[in-house]
C-alpha cells in the first residue's frame, strides 16, 4: 500500500480551481482515486456534478486526458477508448501502460448509465468504474435517484403532509455489479482513505473490469455543515449504512468492522434531509434500521463463506 | 479489380474489411444486421486487425465510436431506423466533437407503426445532426461510397453516414466491382488525428456556456459550409483512379428536358426506365439523382435546375410539417434564391417499403406534362401507390 507521502506526489491531477461546493465529497473521492491512478490515466465522465464543476470551457481541472460525451454512456465511451488502446498496442503504436477510469455519480451509474455499465463489464473491457454516490441528482438540484435512501427528502421525493420523503429503499448497485461476475468489486468511502486508495490500486491491477462504489457525502443535498463531510462519511460506516468490503473473484472480504454498535438514527440526525423523520414517530427509521441489520447479517455471512 | 456478386450489405461489409478500421462498435438491427454479422466473421477469421465491440445498444455503439475516435482510431459502425433514432442524441455529439466516424446506414422506416422495410424517415430525421449524408443507389455505390466516406470524414473531421435502401439495396445481389485491398488502403491513406487522448492531456467535451458555445457552433457550421469542395475532391480522386463518375448529384437526360425528377436512393433506377419510356413517346423529361443531402448543395442545385419548367421531387419520407417531404422542402427553400422560380411539385412514395414501379413514375411525369401545359398546380403534394 502506498504511503500518504507517496500518494501526495500525485496531488493536483484533479487541480485546485475546480468549482465544486466546499465540503464536496465527490471532489475528495476524485482526489483520492487520482492520487493512486497517476498521470498515465484516461478519465471518462458522464454528465453530472463533477463533470460540470471540472471542465467549464476554457478551463479544465484535469491534468490527465479526459473525455465527456453524455449522461448515460460513459461506460460505452471508455469501452471505445480502451478498444482503441488495445488496437494501437497490438499494432505497436502505443507501448506504455495506461489506466482507464470512468467516474460517474449515482444518477449516471445506478440509473441512466446502468445499461452501458452492464454492457461494458460483460464485455470485459479493462477499466475501473468509480461511482461517487451522493445519493441523488445533485447537479440538477437534489432529485431522487435509485441510490436515494428510504425516508430521504429530495425535490422529487419531497416531504409533504401526505408523504414523508422517499418511500422506497435504495438499489444495491454493488451487489448488482458482484452479480456480473467482475473480478473486482468494492465499496469504499473517503473517510477511510487508506482503505479507499488500497482498493483503487487493487482495482487497477485487476485483469478485467473493476467497480468501486464510493459513498460521497454532499453538504448541499444532505444538508449538513460543509466541514462535516468526513465525519458524516465515518458515521455512515460506523452505523453500517455503508459497509466497507471487497469481492475479489467472487470472494467476499469485510474491510472494516465497526468498533461498537451505533444505531442508524445517529447518522440520520446529522442530516437535514432526514429531519422530517424526527417530527413525529416515524416507522421509516425502524424500517431503515431493519434493512441495515438484515444486509449486514447477510454480508457477514457472505464474508464467512 | 474483381467482379463479384454482392448484396448491398455484403458490399458495405467488404468495404469495411478493406478499410480495416481500428475499432468497430455495432449492434444488430434489421435490415443492417448482416453488415455487423459479416464483419464479425472477418474478425473471427483474422481477416482484419479491428477491435470489434459488440455493444448492448446503438446508443452505446456510437458512444464507443466517439471514445475510440477521440483516442485517434479509425472507426466505423452500422445501423438502421430505430437504431439511428436511439443514436440521435449521440449523433449531434459526434459531430460537435468533430469525430470522423462513418455509419453504414441501411434506410428503414421509423416506427410507429413498426415496419422493417425501406423508407428514408430514419436518415432524413437526422439531417440536423451535423453529419455528412450520402445516399447510394445500388450495391456498387454502397461499396464505393463507404470507402469515399472514410476519406471525407477524415479530411474534414466530420462524421459521415452512407445510406442504402433497406432490402432493396441491402439484400439484393448485384454485380459489384471490388478493388484490391492494397488499392483501398492507398486511397484512404493513414488516419492521423491532430488531437488524441493518448498524445497529450487534453479535455474533450467540456461544458461550454454562453461565452463560447456560439463561436464553437459557428465553427462547426463553417466546416459544413466548406465541406462540399472536399467531398467533390474525394469523389474526383476516386473517379480518376477507379474509372467512376461520382459527383454530388448525377443528371440523366436533362439537356433538352422541360421536366426533371429529383430523388435519391434505389428508385433512381426505376425512374430512369420511366424517363426512357417517356422519351420514346417524345416527352422531354430528365432526372437528377442526389448523392449528398448534407450539406445540401443548394447553390449547385439552383444553377442546375433554374431553367426547367417543372421540378418533380420524389420523397421517400415526409416532414410531418404539412409542407411535404424533406427534399421538396429544402429544394423549394433553395429555389427561392433564384429569380426564375420553376414550379416544384412533390410526391411522397414508398413509405414502409411500398413498392414503386415504372408505370407509376410515368403517370407522375404525365401529370407533370399537364401542369406544364395548364400552367397551374392543383395539388403540389401527392402520393404514389397509396390507397385513399
Amino acid at each position: 500500500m502506498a504511503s500518504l507521502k507517496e500518494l501526495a506526489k500525485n496531488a493536483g491531477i484533479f487541480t485546485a480551481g475546480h468549482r465544486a461546493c466546499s465540503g464536496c465529497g465527490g471532489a475528495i473521492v476524485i482526489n483520492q482515486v487520482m492520487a493512486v491512478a497517476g498521470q498515465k490515466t484516461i478519465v471518462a465522465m458522464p454528465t453530472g456534478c463533477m463533470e460540470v464543476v471540472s471542465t467549464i470551457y476554457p478551463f479544465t481541472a484535469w491534468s490527465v486526458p479526459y473525455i465527456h460525451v453524455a449522461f448515460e454512456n460513459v461506460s460505452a465511451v471508455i469501452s471505445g477508448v480502451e478498444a482503441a488502446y488495445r488496437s494501437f498496442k497490438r499494432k505497436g503504436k502505443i507501448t506504455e501502460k495506461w489506466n482507464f477510469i470512468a467516474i460517474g455519480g449515482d444518477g449516471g451509474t445506478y440509473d441512466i448509465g446502468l445499461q452501458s455499465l452492464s454492457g461494458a463489464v460483460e464485455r470485459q473491457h479493462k477499466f475501473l468504474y468509480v461511482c461517487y454516490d451522493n445519493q441523488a441528482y445533485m447537479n440538477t438540484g437534489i432529485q431522487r435517484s435509485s441510490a436515494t435512501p428510504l425516508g430521504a427528502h429530495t425535490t422529487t421525493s419531497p416531504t409533504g403532509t401526505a408523504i414523508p420523503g422517499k418511500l422506497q429503499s435504495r438499489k444495491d448497485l454493488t451487489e448488482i455489479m458482484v452479480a456480473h461476475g467482475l473480478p473486482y468489486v468494492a465499496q469504499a468511502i473517503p473517510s477511510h482513505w487508506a482503505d479507499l486508495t488500497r482498493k483503487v490500486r487493487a482495482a487497477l491491477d485487476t485483469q478485467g473490469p473493476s467497480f468501486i462504489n464510493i459513498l460521497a457525502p454532499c453538504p448541499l443535498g444532505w444538508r449538513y455543515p460543509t466541514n462535516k463531510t468526513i465525519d458524516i462519511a465515518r458515521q455512515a460506516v460506523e452505523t453500517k449504512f455503508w459497509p466497507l468490503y471487497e469481492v475479489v473473484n467472487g470472494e467476499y472480504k469485510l474491510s472494516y468492522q465497526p468498533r461498537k454498535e451505533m444505531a442508524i438514527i445517529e447518522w440520520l440526525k446529522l442530516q437535514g434531509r432526514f429531519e422530517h423523520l424526527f417530527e413525529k414517530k416515524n416507522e421509516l427509521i425502524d424500517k431503515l434500521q431493519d434493512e441495515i441489520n438484515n444486509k449486514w447479517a447477510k454480508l457477514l455471512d457472505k464474508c464467512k463463506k | 479489380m474483381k467482379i463479384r456478386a454482392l448484396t448491398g450489405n455484403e458490399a458495405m461489409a467488404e468495404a469495411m474489411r478493406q478499410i480495416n478500421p481500428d475499432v468497430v462498435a455495432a449492434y444488430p438491427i434489421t435490415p443492417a444486421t448482416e453488415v455487423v454479422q459479416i464483419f464479425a466473421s472477418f474478425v473471427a477469421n483474422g481477416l482484419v486487425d479491428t477491435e470489434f465491440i459488440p455493444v448492448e445498444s446503438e446508443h452505446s455503439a456510437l458512444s464507443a465510436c466517439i471514445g475510440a475516435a477521440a483516442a485517434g482510431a479509425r472507426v466505423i459502425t452500422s445501423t438502421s431506423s430505430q437504431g439511428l433514432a436511439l443514436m440521435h442524441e449521440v449523433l449531434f455529439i459526434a459531430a460537435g466533437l468533430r469525430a470522423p466516424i462513418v455509419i453504414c446506414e441501411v434506410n428503414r422506416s421509423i416506427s410507429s407503426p413498426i415496419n422493417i422495410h425501406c423508407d428514408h424517415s430514419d436518415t432524413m430525421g437526422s439531417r440536423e445532426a451535423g453529419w455528412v449524408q450520402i445516399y447510394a443507389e445500388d450495391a456498387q455505390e454502397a461499396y464505393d461510397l463507404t470507402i469515399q466516406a472514410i476519406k471525407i470524414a477524415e479530411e474534414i473531421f466530420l462524421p459521415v453516414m452512407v445510406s442504402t435502401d433497406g432490402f432493396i439495396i441491402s439484400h439484393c445481389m448485384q454485380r459489384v466491382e471490388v478493388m484490391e485491398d492494397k488499392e483501398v488502403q492507398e486511397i484512404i491513406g493513414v488516419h492521423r488525428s491532430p488531437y488524441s487522448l493518448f498524445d497529450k492531456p487534453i479535455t474533450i467535451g467540456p461544458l461550454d456556456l454562453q461565452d463560447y458555445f456560439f463561436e464553437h457552433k459557428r465553427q462547426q457550421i463553417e466546416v459544413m459550409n466548406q465541406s462540399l469542395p472536399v467531398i467533390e475532391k474525394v469523389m474526383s480522386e476516386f473517379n480518376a483512379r477507379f474509372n467512376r463518375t461520382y459527383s454530388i448529384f448525377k443528371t440523366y437526360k436533362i439537356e433538352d428536358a422541360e421536366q426533371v425528377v429529383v430523388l435519391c436512393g434505389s428508385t433512381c433506377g426505376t425512374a430512369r426506365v420511366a424517363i426512357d419510356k417517356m422519351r420514346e413517346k417524345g416527352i422531354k423529361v430528365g432526372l437528377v439523382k442526389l448523392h449528398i443531402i448534407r450539406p445540401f448543395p443548394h447553390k449547385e442545385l439552383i444553377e442546375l435546375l433554374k431553367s426547367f419548367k417543372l421540378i418533380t421531387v420524389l420523397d421517400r419520407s415526409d416532414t410531418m410539417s404539412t409542407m411535404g417531404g424533406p427534399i421538396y422542402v429544402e429544394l423549394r427553400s433553395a429555389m427561392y434564391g433564384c429569380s426564375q422560380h420553376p414550379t416544384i411539385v412533390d410526391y411522397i412514395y414508398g413509405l414502409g417499403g411500398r413498392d414503386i414501379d415504372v408505370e407509376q413514375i410515368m403517370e407522375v411525369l404525365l401529370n407533370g406534362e399537364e401542369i406544364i401545359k395548364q400552367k397551374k398546380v392543383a395539388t403540389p403534394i401527392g402520393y404514389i401507390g397509396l390507397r385513399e
Side-chain angles (χ1 to χ4, degrees):
Chain A
M1 197 191 92
S3 69
L4 196 54
K5 217 172 183 179
E6 275 172 65
L7 290 171
K9 286 180 192 162
N10 277 332
I13 286 181
F14 185 65
T15 66
H18 63 71
R19 303 176 193 202
C21 308
S22 58
C24 171
I28 304 171
V29 167
I30 292 180
N31 265 313
Q32 293 186 5
V33 169
M34 295 313 295
V36 181
Q39 289 289 345
K40 282 279 169 203
T41 303
I42 293 178
V43 171
M45 285 189 98
T47 312
C49 280
M50 302 319 293
E51 172 259 335
V52 165
V53 303
S54 66
T55 66
I56 301 182
Y57 188 87
F59 304 106
T60 181
W62 293 96
S63 66
V64 294
Y66 164 99
I67 181 167
H68 162 256
V69 175
F71 196 2
E72 67 281 61
N73 59 357
V74 70
S75 303
V77 172
I78 203 86
S79 295
V81 178
E82 190 261 358
Y85 172 68
R86 273 187 281 141
S87 169
F88 293 156
K89 220 162 180 199
R90 208 175 47 240
K91 292 170 187 168
K93 290 182 186 172
I94 286 181
T95 48
E96 313 106 305
K97 185 183 175 294
W98 283 82
N99 299 315
F100 301 95
I101 306 184
I103 306 174
D106 48 293
T109 311
Y110 283 67
D111 287 350
I112 201 168
L114 186 59
Q115 176 184 315
S116 74
L117 171 61
S118 177
V121 298
E122 183 274 331
R123 294 190 302 271
Q124 298 281 310
H125 292 279
K126 190 186 174 325
F127 77 111
L128 163 61
Y129 194 106
V130 172
C131 174
Y132 66 96
D133 176 1
N134 55 24
Q135 305 202 312
Y137 291 84
M138 299 310 183
N139 186 37
T140 43
I142 321 164
Q143 289 78 38
R144 90 190 274 289
S145 77
S146 61
T148 304
L150 186 70
H153 165 91
T154 71
T155 57
T156 51
S157 61
T159 311
T161 48
I163 300 173
K166 193 189 175 204
L167 294 177
Q168 302 81 19
S169 304
R170 50 179 285 275
K171 185 193 275 180
D172 194 337
L173 181 64
T174 310
E175 289 304 303
I176 292 170
M177 297 317 291
V178 171
H180 278 74
L182 265 69
Y184 190 86
V185 177
Q187 276 199 172
I189 200 155
S191 53
H192 295 61
W193 64 267
D195 179 67
L196 188 152
T197 52
R198 181 186 63 76
K199 283 171 177 166
V200 172
R201 182 73 271 151
L204 293 174
D205 289 343
T206 299
Q207 288 309 311
S210 51
F211 177 84
I212 307 180
N213 203 358
I214 305 181
L215 192 69
C218 168
L220 197 70
W222 296 13
R223 287 161 48 204
Y224 64 82
T226 54
N227 62 350
K228 294 290 179 204
T229 296
I230 295 300
D231 291 344
I232 299 262
R234 195 171 289 119
Q235 297 276 55
V237 179
E238 294 299 330
T239 55
K240 299 170 185 144
F241 176 83
W242 195 259
L244 303 182
Y245 68 102
E246 62 192 336
V247 185
V248 185
N249 296 318
E251 302 271 314
Y252 280 74
K253 205 177 146 195
L254 195 67
S255 314
Y256 176 79
Q257 170 76 49
R259 289 185 188 88
K260 56 178 196 303
E261 285 298 315
M262 189 186 276
I264 192 62
I265 197 163
E266 300 303 319
W267 190 61
L268 304 181
K269 272 186 206 164
L270 304 172
Q271 305 168 53
R273 63 174 171 160
F274 296 112
E275 74 184 1
H276 57 284
L277 298 181
F278 299 98
E279 282 162 10
K280 52 186 176 194
K281 172 90 179 112
N282 198 309
E283 69 206 18
L284 286 183
I285 297 179
D286 294 337
K287 199 176 165 194
L288 188 59
Q289 185 66 64
D290 286 348
E291 213 174 73
I292 289 167
N293 294 347
N294 287 338
K295 281 196 148 186
W296 179 258
K298 276 183 192 155
L299 178 64
L300 288 188
D301 208 38
K302 283 176 191 164
C303 291
K304 269 181 224 146
K305 278 174 191 163
Chain B
M1 206 248 319
K2 285 189 202 89
I3 309 289
R4 291 178 60 186
L6 297 175
T7 65
N9 282 345
E10 288 168 349
M12 278 182 148
E14 180 63 4
M16 284 170 68
R17 183 190 66 73
Q18 296 185 307
I19 291 164
N20 197 5
D22 297 307
V23 174
V24 167
Y27 188 79
I29 180 165
T30 305
T33 304
E34 280 177 332
V35 178
V36 189
Q37 204 169 284
I38 296 165
F39 194 79
S41 77
F42 294 152
V43 176
N45 292 313
L47 299 176
V48 285
D49 305 313
T50 309
E51 281 294 328
F52 175 57
I53 318 178
V55 282
E56 83 297 334
S57 74
E58 290 90 353
H59 194 284
S60 283
L62 192 55
S63 301
C65 285
I66 292 175
R74 174 172 275 163
V75 287
I76 305 183
T77 185
S78 172
T79 193
S80 175
S81 181
Q82 305 306 122
L84 190 69
L86 188 58
M87 285 180 182
H88 194 65
E89 177 197 28
V90 207
L91 288 175
F92 288 77
I93 303 174
L97 293 178
R98 307 282 305 274
I101 298 162
V102 169
I103 294 182
C104 294
E105 215 282 346
V106 183
N107 283 120
R108 162 184 153 185
S109 59
I110 287 274
S111 196
S112 163
I114 191 163
N115 175 297
I116 56 166
H117 291 282
C118 176
D119 65 40
H120 296 161
S121 53
D122 53 357
T123 49
M124 291 297 176
S126 305
R127 282 171 298 149
E128 270 78 63
W131 287 56
V132 171
Q133 290 198 348
I134 309 178
Y135 290 75
E137 185 193 325
D138 54 28
Q140 181 70 60
E141 290 190 357
Y143 170 81
D144 290 342
L145 292 168
T146 300
I147 295 163
Q148 292 171 53
I150 276 284
K151 184 95 177 148
I152 293 164
E154 293 176 3
E155 288 237 353
I156 56 177
F157 280 89
L158 278 184
V160 180
M161 60 180 85
V162 181
S163 300
T164 64
D165 285 356
F167 291 104
I168 302 161
I169 304 176
S170 68
H171 284 63
C172 283
M173 197 162 279
Q174 291 184 305
R175 175 190 184 277
V176 179
E177 295 179 7
V178 175
M179 278 100 72
E180 299 299 324
D181 293 1
K182 197 170 143 270
E183 290 178 303
V184 173
Q185 282 299 319
E186 278 168 10
I187 195 130
I188 62 173
V190 178
H191 171 50
R192 279 193 189 84
S193 175
Y195 302 101
S196 116
L197 289 169
F198 291 109
D199 285 346
K200 48 191 148 200
I202 51 167
T203 290
I204 296 178
L207 181 63
D208 199 12
L209 299 174
Q210 301 94 318
D211 42 1
Y212 287 97
F213 181 91
F214 203 170
E215 283 73 22
H216 290 142
K217 275 295 163 196
R218 178 66 185 85
Q219 287 174 350
Q220 193 187 336
I221 293 165
E222 193 54 25
V223 181
M224 198 55 106
N225 284 346
Q226 294 181 18
S227 62
L228 214 47
V230 179
I231 295 167
E232 284 176 314
K233 188 188 82 160
V234 170
M235 285 178 156
S236 46
E237 279 171 19
F238 192 90
N239 292 342
R241 182 151 185 165
F242 301 111
N243 195 25
R244 308 263 205 266
T245 55
Y246 288 97
S247 54
I248 50 174
F249 45 71
K250 205 178 238 175
T251 60
Y252 183 69
K253 299 191 176 172
I254 63 164
E255 288 70 22
D256 60 342
E258 293 185 328
Q259 181 187 180
V260 287
V261 187
V262 178
L263 74 169
C264 66
S266 63
T267 307
C268 292
T270 316
R272 277 196 298 269
V273 176
I275 281 163
D276 288 349
K277 293 205 169 189
M278 295 296 281
R279 280 187 171 267
E280 282 167 17
K281 297 179 186 198
I283 299 167
K284 291 173 179 173
V285 284
L287 176 145
V288 178
K289 169 169 85 174
L290 301 178
H291 269 311
I292 309 292
I293 295 285
R294 279 292 176 275
F296 194 73
H298 57 99
K299 283 184 198 148
E300 295 74 6
L301 284 171
I302 291 173
E303 209 41 52
L304 181 78
L305 298 171
K306 63 184 179 189
S307 33
F308 295 105
K309 287 187 178 153
L310 179 69
I311 301 167
T312 299
V313 176
L314 301 189
D315 263 306
R316 203 163 192 152
S317 61
D318 190 88
T319 56
M320 298 289 168
S321 63
T322 73
M323 289 172 65
I327 299 175
Y328 174 67
V329 166
E330 297 198 356
L331 196 59
R332 271 180 98 214
S333 169
M335 296 309 282
Y336 190 76
C338 93
S339 51
Q340 285 99 321
H341 290 293
T343 304
I344 314 178
V345 294
D346 190 25
Y347 291 88
I348 309 289
Y349 74 97
L351 301 192
R354 176 66 51 85
D355 205 8
I356 180 165
D357 60 30
V358 173
E359 284 68 30
Q360 286 168 329
I361 298 176
M362 285 172 70
E363 202 179 308
V364 160
L365 294 170
L366 282 173
N367 287 346
E369 291 310 296
E370 265 319 288
I371 291 170
I372 293 170
K373 255 185 240 158
Q374 306 286 334
K375 292 185 178 166
K376 68 171 192 214
V377 182
T379 45
I381 301 162
Y383 301 90
I384 304 176
L386 176 74
R387 295 189 298 271
E388 270 190 302

